[in-house]
Amino acid sequence: GIASQQLVLAGKDAQRFKKDPTAARSLSKAAEGLAESIGVLVTNAHNALAEAQKGTREMESTSTKIQSMMDQFATLPANEAATAMEVAAAARSVADSSLQMVSAYNVSQEDLVKASGHVYASTAKLLSNTKGASRLLTDDPS
């Protein structure tokens, strides 16, 4: 923006007044200003990318932790008092928190990290309740 315009103007002056040291200094300062502006732009882009990667890393971590829980289902603690209604409520919570995570993806990395945590917690509760409620199932058809 402004830094590039200053560089163009200083370049014109330096070209027009080739022997004027003030014009040469102005051109040098304008070039430094433009370089500084480019540095700020690169830093801002880098920071934005790092912030976006934070949410993506959290989603990947949540996915890994959930897969680990599922792989270790047999050794997970069970909510022995869980009812079928609690299993259904936990399943709804997983769906709701998953929707929050999808919604947060393009809005806020902070919200994405929070939503990923909710997905993990609600999935853990669903697995615990499901394991505990399995006592309600019987092989007796009567």
Side-chain angles (χ1 to χ4, degrees), residues 61-80:
S61 172
T62 298
S63 175
T64 300
K65 290 188 295 189
I66 289 171
Q67 186 60 52
S68 177
M69 267 194 306
M70 292 170 59
D71 291 345
Q72 299 171 15
F73 183 75
T75 61
L76 288 178
N79 177 4
E80 297 295 340

Side-chain angles (χ1 to χ4, degrees), residues 16-56:
R16 208 172 342 141
F17 307 110
K18 293 180 180 167
K19 296 187 184 210
D20 184 358
T22 303
R25 274 194 305 275
S26 293
L27 178 59
S28 177
K29 291 290 185 190
E32 288 174 17
L34 182 59
E36 184 178 325
S37 294
I38 291 170
V40 169
L41 178 63
V42 168
T43 299
N44 289 342
H46 177 72
N47 290 343
L49 180 59
E51 183 66 21
Q53 289 173 341
K54 176 182 170 187
T56 301

